[in-house]
């Protein structure tokens, strides 16, 4: 997920434009070399560095946070995160892994783009080697994590009406995020973090939301002789935009 920093709207710049262009550049890198994970130790970082360099050459105004995931043929899940979007791996109703939020200071996330000194090399990089069948990979923008606590996320994922249906899970998580974001009396994760910083803030944080949920399964055909690596199925993105612009 690529989350454009909303503050650019105050300068007459569409915050989504930089994020979309960077995503397109990264996609082109993968299309040029789909086997990059077989020879690069950190393929997500390598692709992002090339894509970011092209963006720097274009001098496109804007900036964004980035959270990426790639499941390789050998069953490794590569995860890269820069900023305050994030990813959870959920197994049997428990979050067994999550990325760390990157902030320079409260409500000022690491970001790539014009006016920022951050670079792809500042990203956190993880390689998970113990994925199991049935694991859920939840990747979302801060519009989710600022409004939904982990406990509620797990309840939404394992609700009988949405369980094992990634699109419905993503929709439920998105709708909960919007609902809390509009609630001026809700003690949101964002409000709790603000209070820990000595700031007075009450309510949710209304923001655009993107959620991608994928479920891991074992393929019917082995990845190589004598082995079987997990494959992701039912990857279901949900993206929605509030009628107000994020003040991030």
């Amino acid at each position: 997920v690529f989350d454009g920093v909303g503050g650019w709207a105050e300068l007459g710049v569409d915050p989504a434009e930089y994020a979309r262009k960077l995503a397109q550049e990264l996609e082109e890198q993968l299309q040029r070399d789909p086997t990059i994970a077989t020879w690069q130790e950190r393929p997500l970082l390598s692709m992002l560095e090339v894509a970011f360099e092209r963006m720097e050459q274009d001098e496109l105004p804007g900036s964004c946070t980035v959270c990426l995931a790639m499941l390789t043929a050998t069953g490794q899940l590569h995860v890269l995160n820069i900023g305050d979007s994030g990813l959870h791996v959920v197994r049997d109703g428990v979050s067994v892994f999550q990325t760390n939020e990157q902030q320079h200071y409260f409500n000022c996330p690491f970001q790539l783009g014009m006016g920022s000194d951050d670079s792809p090399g500042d990203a956190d990089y993880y390689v998970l080697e113990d994925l199991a069948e049935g694991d859920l990979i939840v990747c979302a923008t801060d519009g989710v994590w600022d409004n939904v606590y982990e406990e509620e996320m797990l309840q939404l994922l394992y609700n009988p009406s949405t369980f094992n249906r990634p699109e419905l899970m993503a929709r439920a998580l998105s709708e909960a995020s919007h609902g809390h974001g509009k609630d001026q009396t809700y003690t949101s994760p964002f409000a709790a973090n603000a209070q820990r910083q000595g700031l007075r803030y009450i309510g949710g944080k209304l923001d655009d939301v993107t959620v991608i949920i994928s479920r891991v399964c074992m393929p019917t055909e082995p990845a190589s002789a004598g082995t079987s690596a997990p494959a992701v199925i039912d990857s279901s993105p949900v993206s929605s935009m509030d009628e107000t612009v994020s003040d991030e």
Side-chain angles (χ1 to χ4, degrees):
V1 295
F2 300 78
D3 190 13
V5 175
W8 282 96
E10 299 175 5
L11 302 176
V13 175
D14 180 359
E17 186 175 355
Y18 185 94
R20 291 189 184 117
K21 180 63 176 175
L22 182 58
Q24 291 170 359
E25 290 286 354
L26 194 77
E27 182 181 20
E28 289 177 7
Q29 295 304 313
L30 184 58
Q31 290 174 343
R32 288 191 184 98
D33 186 2
T35 67
I36 188 170
T38 64
W39 59 274
Q40 276 282 5
E41 183 178 358
R42 295 187 170 189
L44 294 176
L45 178 58
S46 297
M47 290 188 293
L48 184 59
E49 286 177 333
V50 174
F52 178 68
E53 178 61 29
R54 292 183 176 226
M55 295 291 289
E56 291 288 276
Q57 294 172 0
D58 291 343
E59 297 185 346
L60 184 70
S63 58
C64 70
T65 63
V66 179
C67 188
L68 305 172
M70 171 189 283
L71 183 60
T72 70
T74 59
Q76 291 183 326
L77 181 68
H78 289 249
V79 178
L80 179 151
N81 186 65
I82 184 162
D84 55 3
S85 292
L87 179 145
H88 282 250
V89 175
V90 179
R91 179 178 302 153
D92 298 328
V94 177
S95 178
V96 296
F97 168 83
Q98 69 180 87
T99 55
N100 294 318
E101 185 180 70
Q102 290 186 320
Q103 298 266 8
H104 289 291
Y105 51 86
F106 179 70
N107 205 30
C108 181
F110 283 36
Q111 55 197 265
L112 300 179
M114 187 174 289
S116 173
D117 292 330
D118 302 326
S119 70
D122 294 315
D124 289 332
Y125 202 101
Y126 312 84
V127 180
L128 283 64
E129 300 186 357
D130 58 349
L131 285 183
E133 186 171 13
D135 283 356
L136 298 173
I137 302 170
V138 183
C139 188
T141 57
D142 65 311
V144 172
W145 312 124
D146 282 342
N147 289 296
V148 178
Y149 288 96
E150 181 179 307
E151 181 179 0
E152 183 181 7
M153 174 191 73
L154 296 174
Q155 291 174 348
L156 291 169
L157 296 181
Y158 286 86
N159 186 298
S161 64
T162 60
F163 184 62
N164 265 347
R165 301 178 67 182
E167 182 176 357
L168 296 183
M169 293 178 185
R171 181 66 61 187
L173 192 52
S174 173
E175 291 176 351
S177 303
H178 280 301
H180 291 321
K182 297 175 182 178
D183 187 346
Q184 298 181 1
T185 64
Y186 173 60
T187 304
S188 63
F190 182 84
N193 288 337
Q195 292 166 14
R196 282 193 287 269
Q197 299 297 319
L199 303 173
R200 186 173 180 177
Y201 187 95
I202 301 175
K205 184 173 184 289
L206 194 60
D207 201 351
D208 302 339
V209 167
T210 295
V211 184
I212 301 174
I213 297 181
S214 303
R215 181 164 55 90
V216 177
C217 74
M218 301 303 294
T220 55
E221 294 294 332
S224 60
T227 66
S228 184
V232 170
I233 64 168
D234 291 341
S235 185
S236 298
V238 169
S239 185
S240 54
M241 182 176 292
D242 277 306
E243 53 275 7
T244 58
V245 176
S246 166
D247 59 0
E248 183 179 36

